[in-house]
Amino acid sequence: MREYLLTLCVTAAVTYLLTGPVRKFAIVAGAMPEIRARDVHREPTPRLGGIAMFFGLCAGLLVADHLKSLNEVFAKSNEPRALLSGAALIWLIGVLDDKFEIDALIKLGGQMIAAGVMVMQGLTILWLPVPGVGTVSLTQWQGTLLTVALVVVTINAVNFADGLDGLAAGMVCIAAAAFFMYAYRIWYGYGLEAAAPATLFAAVLIGMCLGFLAHNMHPARIFMGDSGSMLIGLVLAAAAISVTGQVDPDAMNLFSGSERATVHQTVPVYIPLLLPLTIIAVPVVDFFLAIVRRTWRGQSPFAADRGHLHHRLLDIGHSHSRAVLIMYFWSALISFGALAYSVNSASMWIVLGVMALSAVGLVLLLLPRFTPRAPRWAEAFVPPRYRRRRRAEDAQPMPAVVHESGPSGHRTPVGAGAAGINGATALGPRRRLEGRKAESSR
């Protein structure tokens, strides 16, 4: 455990220290795209944060290779090298996209190639425990297709979640923490060396996310970009593939009896690992909802919009920070709930606890709909949004603004609170908006 913690700390420190210089490099290189319609930030922010995260990954693997216990992972398995090869390829594609905005189909092809590179070096799914059937061995083509599909879905799910400051890095960090605890339990608790690479990948992934979060929390000073979101998605998928496809469930010897009975009893243990979609359930649900929504409208599944879950939280009335914390809450509830269920599936307290926390999460989601008003004596101790309006303020007339209606140029006074008046348009100049309209009409 000390060596894993050392690897985690080194990865986090390298990522944190390199993010500042990378931010300056991104500004000089011009990797600061203009604000788009779906963006929630108001100022251009540099990308390319994935550069620091990739070098943090390299530093973590390099340190682990020189440690006494973790060195056996590199000696007995080729999976760390496979991960580094696939990560380098997907990181390079992400850097090019952050700078030049490459086509979505090209990125999809690069993701499939990166997954294929890892498969060629042995990081693939060899078998699956199926309830009621037993351990099902996969052919080479079946294992390859399943591995590539799992990598591509996980990468794009994390990429879709990267819409608010600190959202993607925090959610993946929570998922990686739950994953590390489970993989370490398999490796140390049951003595299965095949789970050691997945435990190492999860520890390095936690360090990458923690080191970058210090610069990426709201208000973010730098974005990870596709170079970072696709990278951490690939590392998470690689860890799940390693422990799912390489660890034989019969080797755990948890239960006596036939192989079919053994696999049936260990299904609660392997459900969170068969598909890492349960670990990152929130971004995966957002991913599939986005595909359905865009396809229904006749758009490309890769066309960007403002219909993601975090955008909906902002539209409901949550602040930026509260929306991120709510997404953290649901990610932790699902990932650690699945972890607790895998450890003791017979405990009713775990199910009741998950249900109670789910009810709390629903209350948090609807919080802007129910804004309580504090009594007069407590108004000095609560934020302004919980205070009652003063009668004097209510009696003040609404300031009038001049609004131009029609091509004739006739101006009529309109109340500032009237419906249909955009706040930014009513308070500020309209040159920027009119310029955009003129360009769009062309």
Side-chain angles (χ1 to χ4, degrees):
M1 178 61 74
R2 290 194 298 268
E3 295 186 356
Y4 281 119
L5 292 178
L6 177 61
T7 303
L8 188 155
C9 292
V10 170
T11 305
V14 172
T15 304
Y16 174 79
L17 294 176
L18 288 181
T19 302
V22 167
R23 179 179 182 273
K24 297 180 179 179
F25 170 76
I27 296 175
V28 173
M32 295 178 61
E34 297 182 356
I35 300 177
R36 300 161 295 187
R38 68 178 188 272
D39 292 334
V40 297
H41 58 281
R42 299 180 179 179
E43 297 180 358
T45 306
R47 296 183 180 179
L48 295 178
I51 296 179
M53 303 178 78
F54 176 75
F55 283 105
L57 170 66
C58 296
L61 294 178
L62 181 63
V63 170
D65 190 19
H66 289 79
L67 297 177
K68 182 179 180 180
S69 298
L70 296 183
N71 179 260
E72 299 180 359
V73 177
F74 295 84
K76 298 180 180 179
S77 174
N78 197 42
E79 293 182 12
R81 300 176 185 86
L83 171 66
L84 189 59
S85 302
L89 180 58
I90 202 70
W91 169 74
L92 181 60
I93 296 173
V95 170
L96 294 177
D97 180 67
D98 290 340
K99 173 59 181 175
F100 301 106
E101 295 284 345
I102 62 179
D103 188 71
L105 293 178
I106 297 178
K107 289 194 294 183
L108 180 62
Q111 295 168 7
M112 299 175 66
I113 293 175
V117 168
M118 294 193 300
V119 170
M120 292 176 59
Q121 300 188 53
L123 187 55
T124 181
I125 298 177
L126 301 178
W127 50 67
L128 288 176
V130 180
V133 177
T135 302
V136 178
S137 299
L138 302 179
T139 63
Q140 182 178 1
W141 281 105
Q142 291 173 343
T144 300
L145 292 177
L146 184 58
T147 302
V148 172
L150 197 58
V151 171
V152 171
V153 170
T154 307
I155 288 176
N156 286 281
V158 175
N159 191 18
F160 276 34
D162 187 22
L164 297 179
D165 298 347
L167 180 58
M171 294 176 65
V172 173
C173 183
I174 294 172
F179 204 98
F180 172 81
M181 295 172 64
Y182 191 87
Y184 184 81
R185 174 173 174 261
I186 295 178
W187 172 70
Y188 184 78
Y190 298 101
L192 298 181
E193 294 293 337
T199 311
L200 174 61
F201 297 165
V204 172
L205 182 57
I206 296 173
M208 295 166 59
C209 296
L210 288 178
F212 185 74
L213 271 175
H215 299 268
N216 191 233
M217 293 301 292
H218 182 71
R221 302 180 68 249
I222 185 173
F223 294 153
M224 66 171 66
D226 284 359
S227 58
S229 61
M230 293 196 300
L231 176 63
I232 60 178
L234 182 134
V235 176
L236 180 60
I241 291 169
S242 174
V243 76
T244 303
Q246 305 292 331
V247 177
D248 186 0
D250 295 331
M252 298 176 68
N253 295 323
L254 292 178
F255 303 94
S256 60
S258 62
E259 178 184 1
R260 179 177 302 181
T262 300
V263 176
H264 180 73
Q265 294 292 334
T266 55
V267 165
V269 179
Y270 276 85
I271 284 295
L273 303 178
L274 289 175
L275 294 176
L277 310 184
T278 56
I279 294 293
I280 52 171
V282 175
V284 168
V285 169
D286 191 15
F287 170 70
F288 284 108
L289 289 178
I291 292 179
V292 173
R293 179 177 66 251
R294 295 166 184 174
T295 306
W296 183 264
R297 296 176 180 174
Q299 301 175 344
S300 170
F302 302 99
D305 58 11
R306 278 187 58 90
H308 293 289
L309 295 178
H310 48 269
H311 290 142
R312 295 180 183 274
L313 289 176
L314 295 178
D315 295 338
I316 290 175
H318 291 286
S319 63
H320 192 292
S321 300
R322 186 192 293 174
V324 172
L325 292 177
I326 290 176
M327 298 288 281
Y328 285 177
F329 173 83
W330 281 106
S331 298
L333 177 61
I334 296 174
S335 58
F336 284 96
L339 175 65
Y341 182 74
S342 66
V343 174
N344 187 5
S345 61
S347 177
M348 184 58 63
W349 290 106
I350 295 177
V351 178
L352 294 177
V354 171
M355 294 176 61
L357 291 175
S358 299
V360 173
L362 293 177
V363 173
L364 293 177
L365 287 176
L366 300 176
L367 191 60
R369 303 293 185 184
F370 308 99
T371 303
R373 299 300 179 185
R376 298 292 186 184
W377 58 269
E379 289 185 352
F381 306 98
V382 296
R385 62 178 177 270
Y386 298 123
R387 301 172 185 172
R388 300 178 183 272
R389 290 186 176 182
R390 301 293 184 183
R391 292 184 178 180
E393 296 176 357
D394 296 339
Q396 290 181 358
M398 301 285 288
V401 296
V402 178
H403 177 65
E404 182 177 351
S405 60
S408 60
H410 178 67
R411 297 174 179 264
T412 57
V414 180
I421 302 299
N422 186 294
T425 305
L427 298 179
R430 300 186 57 180
R431 297 179 181 177
R432 184 176 181 181
L433 297 176
E434 292 175 354
R436 289 185 178 179
K437 292 182 180 179
E439 292 178 359
S440 61
S441 62
R442 295 178 184 176

